[in-house]
Amino acid sequence: MKRDGFLTRAARRAGVFLDEKAGIEHARELLAARRSPQAIAVLARLAGKGRTEAQYFLGNLYLAGEHVPPHLGEALRWIEAAAQAGHLDAQFQMALLNQAGRAKAPTAEADPFGKAAAAAPDHESALSWALRAAGAGHTDAQALAAQILLSGPDSLRDPPRALDLYRQSAEAGNVHGLQGYGVLLLNRAKDRADREDAVRVVRLAAEKGSAQSLYILGMIAEQGRDEPADPVAAAALFAQAAELNFAPAQRKLGIALYNGIGVAADPHRAETWLRKAALAGDVDAMAIVGDIILQMGAPKPNYAEVTAWYRRAAEAGHPGAMVTLGQLHWRGLGVPRDQRTAVELFRRAAATGHAPAVQLLAALDAERARPKPSSGT
C-alpha cells in the first residue's frame, strides 16, 4: 500500500496518470486550488491519449470559458472526439450543439479567437447524434430525438417513432421525456379517459420540476374542459412555473394578478411579472405591459415608455400592438404625428387577419371615399 501511495504521489508530481479517474480527480483538485494551467495540462495529456471522459471535460471547459478562454473550435475538437469514441453524454451534447447551430468550428482566419456567432441549426446532424445516444439508452437524447422527429423539418418528421422515443424516455423517469410524452398524449387524446392518462404523465413531469408542465396544468385548470374551471388552482400553478422563469406562466400570473382572477388583485405585482415575461421575450406580455402603463398612467401616461413596449411587440409580429402603435402615430402621442406610418402599421396588422385592424382600415377607406362638402360660392 505504501508503494502504491508513493507511485500515486509521483504520478501527481509528474502529471502522468495511468488511471483516467485519478487524473480527472487530480485536475478537479487543481482547479479548486486555482491552479488552472496545471489542471488543463493534466486533462490535455489524458485527452490526447484518447481518454473520453477527459476529452468531454476539457471540451466543456472550452465551451463554457471556465478556467480557459472560451474557444468553440477546441470545445468541438474534444467533445466530438469523445462522442465518436462512444461517450454518450458527448454524443448528446453534439446533438444539442448541432441543434443550436454551434457544431461548425470557424476557421482561424475568420475567427482567430473561436467566438463566432451561431449558424443555422443542423437538424439532420442533431438527430443523427441524438439517435446514437438514444439507442444506447441515454434518456435525454431519446427526448431530444423525439422532439426533432416531431417538430423538426418535414423531411425528418416521424411522429410514430417520436412517440416511441418519448415513451422510452418517460418510462425511465426522464423529466423531458415525461413532458414531451404527456403533451403528445394530450394532443392525440380522443376522449376524457385519454386526457386523464395524459394529464397523469404531465403531472409526473411537473412533480420533477418541469416549468412547462406546471404551465400546462395551469391552462387545464383555467379552461376546465373535463372538470369545472378552477382559477385558484390555475393561478397557483402559474405562480410555480413563473418562479421557474417560464415566461408564458409569468404572463398568465401577471394577468391573474392584474384582474384579480384566482388571486387577490395586485396591479403592481402584476406589472412586475408581466415585465419579467416581456423581458424574457414573451410578445403578448410586451403588448400588455404597454397597455398597463397606458391605463395606470392616465391621464398623463409615460408615452415614451408606452411606445417603446408597443414597438417591441409590433416588431415581433403582435397585431394588436401594431394597431395601438399606429393610433399613437396617428394622434402624435409619444411619437411625431405621422398618419402614413399609422396606416402602414394598420395594414400590417390587417394582413394577419386581425379584425380590429381590418375594421379600422375599412372605416378610413370609407372616410376617404365620402364626398367632401362643397365650399359654396
Side-chain angles (χ1 to χ4, degrees):
M1 294 295 292
K2 290 182 179 180
R3 180 65 174 169
D4 289 343
F6 168 76
L7 291 173
T8 300
R9 289 193 299 274
R12 286 175 183 268
R13 286 195 297 272
V16 178
F17 291 88
L18 298 176
D19 178 65
E20 181 182 26
K21 184 177 179 181
I24 290 177
E25 182 184 345
H26 181 51
R28 291 186 187 280
E29 291 172 356
L30 290 169
L31 291 173
R34 299 187 179 182
R35 297 173 61 189
S36 298
Q38 295 92 328
I40 299 303
V42 170
L43 291 171
R45 276 191 286 272
L46 289 167
K49 293 180 181 295
R51 307 297 175 85
T52 59
E53 193 62 36
Q55 291 171 337
Y56 179 65
F57 190 178
L58 183 59
N60 274 287
L61 290 179
Y62 277 112
L63 188 65
E66 293 180 359
H67 306 286
V68 288
H71 198 291
L72 182 59
E74 283 297 291
L76 290 171
R77 172 192 175 192
W78 293 117
I79 294 171
E80 186 167 6
Q84 293 287 9
H87 192 287
L88 297 184
D89 285 338
Q91 291 174 349
F92 174 62
Q93 190 155 21
M94 285 302 299
L96 291 174
L97 289 167
N98 275 282
Q99 187 81 332
R102 300 194 65 205
K104 295 288 189 296
T107 62
E109 293 78 11
D111 184 28
F113 300 106
K115 296 181 180 179
D122 184 346
H123 300 289
E124 188 171 352
S125 295
L127 179 60
S128 177
W129 279 114
L131 287 173
R132 285 178 68 173
H138 194 289
T139 58
D140 279 329
Q142 290 168 344
L144 177 60
Q147 177 192 336
I148 298 170
L149 290 167
L150 195 64
S151 57
D154 289 344
S155 60
L156 299 178
R157 292 193 182 186
D158 187 344
R161 193 178 186 189
L163 179 64
D164 184 57
L165 284 163
Y166 267 140
R167 179 188 55 76
Q168 292 178 50
S169 182
E171 287 178 350
N174 182 279
V175 63
H176 304 295
L178 287 164
Q179 175 185 297
Y181 190 48
V183 170
L184 196 51
L185 290 177
L186 272 174
N187 292 337
R188 292 162 59 96
K190 296 179 180 179
D191 53 33
R192 178 169 181 165
D194 287 347
R195 287 190 292 274
E196 288 176 349
D197 287 342
V199 168
R200 276 193 287 271
V201 177
V202 174
R203 203 175 298 282
L204 287 171
E207 289 170 358
K208 288 178 174 285
S210 167
Q212 184 176 346
S213 297
L214 287 162
Y215 171 75
I216 291 168
L217 293 174
M219 293 297 294
I220 292 170
E222 180 182 72
Q223 294 165 4
R225 178 169 183 178
D226 294 314
E227 300 288 344
D230 188 343
V232 174
L237 287 160
F238 291 144
Q240 290 180 62
E243 293 289 354
L244 295 172
N245 296 318
F246 191 65
Q250 292 172 335
R251 167 172 45 82
K252 294 294 288 186
L253 178 60
I255 293 171
L257 285 163
Y258 190 75
N259 295 311
I261 300 174
V263 66
D266 189 333
H268 294 292
R269 282 186 63 213
E271 185 179 351
T272 297
W273 281 113
L274 286 162
R275 283 180 181 273
K276 285 184 178 182
L279 291 170
D282 189 288
V283 180
D284 287 334
M286 295 175 193
I288 295 170
V289 170
D291 292 341
I292 288 177
I293 297 170
L294 196 59
Q295 294 165 12
M296 291 178 67
K300 293 184 178 181
N302 182 344
Y303 280 115
E305 189 178 12
V306 167
T307 302
W309 281 113
Y310 283 135
R311 181 172 287 112
R312 288 182 66 176
E315 289 172 352
H318 193 286
M322 294 176 198
V323 170
T324 307
L325 183 60
Q327 291 170 330
L328 293 172
H329 275 286
W330 187 273
R331 299 172 63 188
L333 298 174
V335 288
R337 193 166 187 268
D338 185 347
Q339 294 187 350
R340 180 175 296 180
T341 296
V343 172
E344 182 183 334
L345 285 161
F346 299 154
R347 294 194 187 285
R348 281 175 55 198
T352 70
H354 188 60
V358 173
Q359 295 164 4
L360 185 54
L361 282 174
L364 289 174
D365 290 341
E367 180 67 25
R368 290 195 189 99
R370 183 180 301 166
K372 295 181 179 179
S374 61
S375 58
T377 57

